[in-house]
Amino acid sequence: MEMEEDQNTKIKQKRSLLILSCILLTLGNCGGPLVMRLYFIHGGKRVWLSSWLETGGWPIILLPLAAAYYQRRRRCTRTAKPIQMKPFLFFSSALIGLLTGLDDYLYAEGVARLPVSTLSLIIASHLGFTAAFAYLLVKQKFTSYSVNAVVLLTMGGAVLALHTSGDRPKGESEKEYIVGFFMTLSAAALYGFVLPLVELMYKKSKQRITYSLVLEVQLVMCFFATVFCTIGMLINNDFKVIPREAKKFGMGETEYYVVLVWSAIVWQAFFLGAIGIIFCASSLVSAIVIASLLPVTEVLAVIFYHENFKAEKGVSLALSLWGFVSYFYGEIKHTNKNKKMPAPQESEIHGILDTS
């Protein structure tokens, strides 16, 4: 009886973390591109600075990490350690962080050249890449519903490649627009590799993965991604240009720095949400949630930035919504089926809170 209650508690905790991660991912996935695009619309031109802001808010993670350490100290004073990460996780997180830094740059190049609505639909293609890499790296199992969702969501992004000539921002050459398109597609492919790589790291680690350890992984990843982008900023002399750019910013000098700060905060929510979902579920689920938030970002871009919404975007959006409904319908059926099965054993349930 006591063991069953403990199992139910752990399942509820994991469900709560999954909900929290989904909320964070929603804020970051919808708000990140909009705030970043706001910077470029009003005169910002520093791509390396924008990519730096995607992970530059990593010190925020120190707050929940400090709270987790305080909680461990209260439970076990002598054995509690401020840093739990072992060398394998550290070096793996550092490598993934460098890849994330490159992905940040590719994505920022896309945001600088494309409308948010178009960018979001192209980014949806990352789901296809995630599915392929998840199959190769972590032996992800697929149902007919998940396969259908991946195909539809990927097709939704691919439709834009057929007709995008009328969507080019004013004053931008066709060459710049095409570069932005392929930069965004490259960012989608690379992030489609990064998500399963994080899941593989969790599986290969000899440590028991807890949420506080996930926060440490996030901090290391974002730190090294920020180092990568900082080098780019130094080479490009971005630090020297920031004060001049702030004075010329269309919304005002103070607002310029407000936009930068909020960009860093919102993007940190995105990354925390993405790897949190991988911890609670899988990299494929994380990718599907990201792709499923596409309609929200799409609508917000049209409302706030008055972006064009043409026929190809409508078709793309319809395919994406169809894929979203297909996947979660399959998940509901799968969940209902599992409810009829016996409860899992203790060894099958992953720990959530650190007890070390």
Side-chain angles (χ1 to χ4, degrees), residues 6-36:
D6 187 49
Q7 289 175 355
N8 291 333
T9 300
K10 288 182 178 180
I11 291 172
K12 287 179 181 178
Q13 287 173 339
K14 201 159 195 175
R15 190 175 298 161
S16 299
L17 284 173
L18 181 60
I19 293 171
L20 174 62
S21 297
C22 287
I23 293 172
L24 289 172
L25 186 57
T26 300
L27 292 172
N29 197 56
C30 298
L34 293 172
V35 178
M36 185 182 284

Short mmCIF file of all heavy atoms in Angstrom, two decimals, residues 6-36:
data_model
loop_
_atom_site.label_atom_id
_atom_site.label_comp_id
_atom_site.label_asym_id
_atom_site.label_seq_id
_atom_site.Cartn_x
_atom_site.Cartn_y
_atom_site.Cartn_z
N ASP A 6 3.58 5.78 -2.99
CA ASP A 6 4.82 6.41 -3.42
C ASP A 6 4.89 6.50 -4.94
O ASP A 6 5.32 7.50 -5.50
CB ASP A 6 6.02 5.61 -2.89
CG ASP A 6 7.34 6.32 -3.14
OD1 ASP A 6 7.43 7.53 -2.83
OD2 ASP A 6 8.27 5.66 -3.66
N GLN A 7 4.45 5.43 -5.61
CA GLN A 7 4.42 5.41 -7.08
C GLN A 7 3.47 6.48 -7.61
O GLN A 7 3.80 7.21 -8.55
CB GLN A 7 3.99 4.03 -7.57
CG GLN A 7 5.03 2.94 -7.37
CD GLN A 7 4.52 1.56 -7.77
OE1 GLN A 7 3.36 1.40 -8.12
NE2 GLN A 7 5.40 0.58 -7.72
N ASN A 8 2.29 6.57 -7.01
CA ASN A 8 1.30 7.56 -7.44
C ASN A 8 1.82 8.97 -7.23
O ASN A 8 1.59 9.87 -8.07
CB ASN A 8 0.00 7.38 -6.67
CG ASN A 8 -0.73 6.10 -7.06
OD1 ASN A 8 -0.58 5.61 -8.18
ND2 ASN A 8 -1.53 5.56 -6.14
N THR A 9 2.55 9.19 -6.13
CA THR A 9 3.13 10.51 -5.86
C THR A 9 4.15 10.89 -6.93
O THR A 9 4.16 12.02 -7.43
CB THR A 9 3.82 10.53 -4.48
OG1 THR A 9 2.86 10.23 -3.47
CG2 THR A 9 4.42 11.90 -4.20
N LYS A 10 5.01 9.93 -7.29
CA LYS A 10 6.03 10.17 -8.30
C LYS A 10 5.41 10.46 -9.66
O LYS A 10 5.87 11.34 -10.40
CB LYS A 10 6.99 8.98 -8.40
CG LYS A 10 7.92 8.85 -7.20
CD LYS A 10 8.86 7.68 -7.37
CE LYS A 10 9.83 7.60 -6.18
NZ LYS A 10 10.77 6.48 -6.31
N ILE A 11 4.35 9.71 -9.98
CA ILE A 11 3.67 9.93 -11.26
C ILE A 11 3.05 11.32 -11.30
O ILE A 11 3.13 12.03 -12.32
CB ILE A 11 2.60 8.84 -11.49
CG1 ILE A 11 3.27 7.49 -11.74
CG2 ILE A 11 1.70 9.20 -12.67
CD1 ILE A 11 2.32 6.32 -11.77
N LYS A 12 2.43 11.74 -10.18
CA LYS A 12 1.83 13.07 -10.11
C LYS A 12 2.89 14.17 -10.22
O LYS A 12 2.68 15.20 -10.86
CB LYS A 12 1.06 13.23 -8.79
CG LYS A 12 -0.24 12.44 -8.74
CD LYS A 12 -0.94 12.62 -7.41
CE LYS A 12 -2.23 11.81 -7.34
NZ LYS A 12 -2.90 11.94 -6.03
N GLN A 13 4.05 13.94 -9.59
CA GLN A 13 5.14 14.92 -9.67
C GLN A 13 5.64 15.07 -11.10
O GLN A 13 5.87 16.18 -11.58
CB GLN A 13 6.29 14.48 -8.75
CG GLN A 13 5.99 14.65 -7.27
CD GLN A 13 7.07 14.04 -6.40
OE1 GLN A 13 7.83 13.18 -6.83
NE2 GLN A 13 7.14 14.48 -5.15
N LYS A 14 5.78 13.93 -11.76
CA LYS A 14 6.26 13.96 -13.14
C LYS A 14 5.24 14.64 -14.06
O LYS A 14 5.61 15.39 -14.97
CB LYS A 14 6.55 12.55 -13.63
CG LYS A 14 7.51 12.53 -14.82
CD LYS A 14 8.17 11.18 -14.95
CE LYS A 14 9.38 11.27 -15.87
NZ LYS A 14 10.12 10.01 -15.93
N ARG A 15 3.97 14.39 -13.79
CA ARG A 15 2.91 15.03 -14.58
C ARG A 15 2.93 16.54 -14.37
O ARG A 15 2.77 17.32 -15.31
CB ARG A 15 1.57 14.45 -14.17
CG ARG A 15 0.40 14.85 -15.08
CD ARG A 15 -0.87 14.12 -14.68
NE ARG A 15 -0.72 12.69 -14.83
CZ ARG A 15 -1.51 11.80 -14.23
NH1 ARG A 15 -2.47 12.21 -13.42
NH2 ARG A 15 -1.33 10.52 -14.43
N SER A 16 3.15 16.96 -13.12
CA SER A 16 3.23 18.40 -12.82
C SER A 16 4.42 19.05 -13.53
O SER A 16 4.30 20.16 -14.06
CB SER A 16 3.34 18.62 -11.30
OG SER A 16 2.22 18.10 -10.63
N LEU A 17 5.56 18.35 -13.51
CA LEU A 17 6.74 18.86 -14.21
C LEU A 17 6.50 18.95 -15.71
O LEU A 17 6.97 19.89 -16.38
CB LEU A 17 7.95 17.97 -13.92
CG LEU A 17 8.59 18.12 -12.54
CD1 LEU A 17 9.66 17.05 -12.34
CD2 LEU A 17 9.19 19.51 -12.37
N LEU A 18 5.77 17.97 -16.25
CA LEU A 18 5.46 17.99 -17.69
C LEU A 18 4.58 19.18 -18.03
O LEU A 18 4.82 19.87 -19.03
CB LEU A 18 4.77 16.68 -18.08
CG LEU A 18 4.40 16.52 -19.56
CD1 LEU A 18 5.64 16.60 -20.44
CD2 LEU A 18 3.67 15.21 -19.80
N ILE A 19 3.60 19.46 -17.20
CA ILE A 19 2.72 20.61 -17.42
C ILE A 19 3.50 21.91 -17.33
O ILE A 19 3.36 22.81 -18.17
CB ILE A 19 1.56 20.60 -16.40
CG1 ILE A 19 0.63 19.41 -16.66
CG2 ILE A 19 0.77 21.92 -16.47
CD1 ILE A 19 -0.42 19.20 -15.59
N LEU A 20 4.37 22.01 -16.31
CA LEU A 20 5.21 23.21 -16.15
C LEU A 20 6.11 23.40 -17.36
O LEU A 20 6.26 24.51 -17.88
CB LEU A 20 6.06 23.08 -14.88
CG LEU A 20 7.10 24.18 -14.65
CD1 LEU A 20 6.42 25.53 -14.48
CD2 LEU A 20 7.96 23.86 -13.43
N SER A 21 6.71 22.31 -17.84
CA SER A 21 7.60 22.38 -19.01
C SER A 21 6.84 22.82 -20.25
O SER A 21 7.35 23.60 -21.06
CB SER A 21 8.26 21.02 -19.25
OG SER A 21 9.09 20.65 -18.16
N CYS A 22 5.62 22.34 -20.40
CA CYS A 22 4.79 22.73 -21.55
C CYS A 22 4.45 24.22 -21.50
O CYS A 22 4.45 24.91 -22.54
CB CYS A 22 3.51 21.89 -21.60
SG CYS A 22 3.76 20.18 -22.13
N ILE A 23 4.17 24.72 -20.30
CA ILE A 23 3.88 26.15 -20.14
C ILE A 23 5.10 27.00 -20.50
O ILE A 23 5.00 27.99 -21.23
CB ILE A 23 3.42 26.45 -18.70
CG1 ILE A 23 2.06 25.79 -18.42
CG2 ILE A 23 3.34 27.97 -18.45
CD1 ILE A 23 1.63 25.86 -16.97
N LEU A 24 6.28 26.60 -19.98
CA LEU A 24 7.51 27.32 -20.29
C LEU A 24 7.81 27.29 -21.78
O LEU A 24 8.20 28.30 -22.38
CB LEU A 24 8.68 26.71 -19.51
CG LEU A 24 8.69 26.95 -18.00
CD1 LEU A 24 9.79 26.11 -17.34
CD2 LEU A 24 8.91 28.42 -17.69
N LEU A 25 7.62 26.12 -22.39
CA LEU A 25 7.88 25.98 -23.82
C LEU A 25 6.92 26.84 -24.64
O LEU A 25 7.31 27.44 -25.66
CB LEU A 25 7.76 24.51 -24.24
CG LEU A 25 8.15 24.17 -25.69
CD1 LEU A 25 9.58 24.61 -25.97
CD2 LEU A 25 7.99 22.69 -25.95
N THR A 26 5.67 26.92 -24.20
CA THR A 26 4.69 27.75 -24.90
C THR A 26 5.11 29.21 -24.87
O THR A 26 5.08 29.91 -25.89
CB THR A 26 3.30 27.60 -24.25
OG1 THR A 26 2.89 26.23 -24.33
CG2 THR A 26 2.27 28.47 -24.95
N LEU A 27 5.52 29.70 -23.68
CA LEU A 27 5.96 31.09 -23.56
C LEU A 27 7.17 31.38 -24.44
O LEU A 27 7.23 32.39 -25.14
CB LEU A 27 6.31 31.39 -22.09
CG LEU A 27 5.14 31.40 -21.09
CD1 LEU A 27 5.65 31.52 -19.67
CD2 LEU A 27 4.18 32.55 -21.41
N GLY A 28 8.14 30.45 -24.40
CA GLY A 28 9.37 30.66 -25.16
C GLY A 28 9.19 30.49 -26.66
O GLY A 28 9.69 31.27 -27.46
N ASN A 29 8.43 29.46 -27.05
CA ASN A 29 8.27 29.15 -28.47
C ASN A 29 7.44 30.20 -29.19
O ASN A 29 7.67 30.48 -30.37
CB ASN A 29 7.63 27.78 -28.63
CG ASN A 29 7.81 27.22 -30.02
OD1 ASN A 29 8.92 27.08 -30.51
ND2 ASN A 29 6.71 26.89 -30.67
N CYS A 30 6.47 30.78 -28.49
CA CYS A 30 5.63 31.81 -29.10
C CYS A 30 6.22 33.21 -28.94
O CYS A 30 6.17 34.03 -29.86
CB CYS A 30 4.23 31.78 -28.49
SG CYS A 30 3.35 30.23 -28.77
N GLY A 31 6.78 33.47 -27.75
CA GLY A 31 7.30 34.81 -27.50
C GLY A 31 8.69 35.07 -28.05
O GLY A 31 9.00 36.19 -28.48
N GLY A 32 9.56 34.04 -28.07
CA GLY A 32 10.93 34.21 -28.53
C GLY A 32 11.06 34.80 -29.93
O GLY A 32 11.72 35.84 -30.13
N PRO A 33 10.44 34.18 -30.94
CA PRO A 33 10.55 34.71 -32.31
C PRO A 33 9.96 36.12 -32.44
O PRO A 33 10.49 36.95 -33.19
CB PRO A 33 9.74 33.70 -33.14
CG PRO A 33 9.71 32.46 -32.33
CD PRO A 33 9.69 32.92 -30.90
N LEU A 34 8.86 36.39 -31.71
CA LEU A 34 8.22 37.70 -31.82
C LEU A 34 9.11 38.80 -31.24
O LEU A 34 9.25 39.87 -31.84
CB LEU A 34 6.87 37.68 -31.07
CG LEU A 34 5.79 36.78 -31.68
CD1 LEU A 34 4.58 36.71 -30.75
CD2 LEU A 34 5.37 37.28 -33.06
N VAL A 35 9.71 38.56 -30.08
CA VAL A 35 10.59 39.56 -29.47
C VAL A 35 11.85 39.75 -30.31
O VAL A 35 12.31 40.88 -30.52
CB VAL A 35 10.96 39.16 -28.03
CG1 VAL A 35 11.92 40.19 -27.43
CG2 VAL A 35 9.73 39.05 -27.16
N MET A 36 12.39 38.65 -30.83
CA MET A 36 13.59 38.75 -31.66
C MET A 36 13.30 39.51 -32.95
O MET A 36 14.10 40.33 -33.40
CB MET A 36 14.13 37.35 -31.99
CG MET A 36 15.45 37.38 -32.75
SD MET A 36 16.06 35.73 -33.19
CE MET A 36 16.68 35.17 -31.62
#
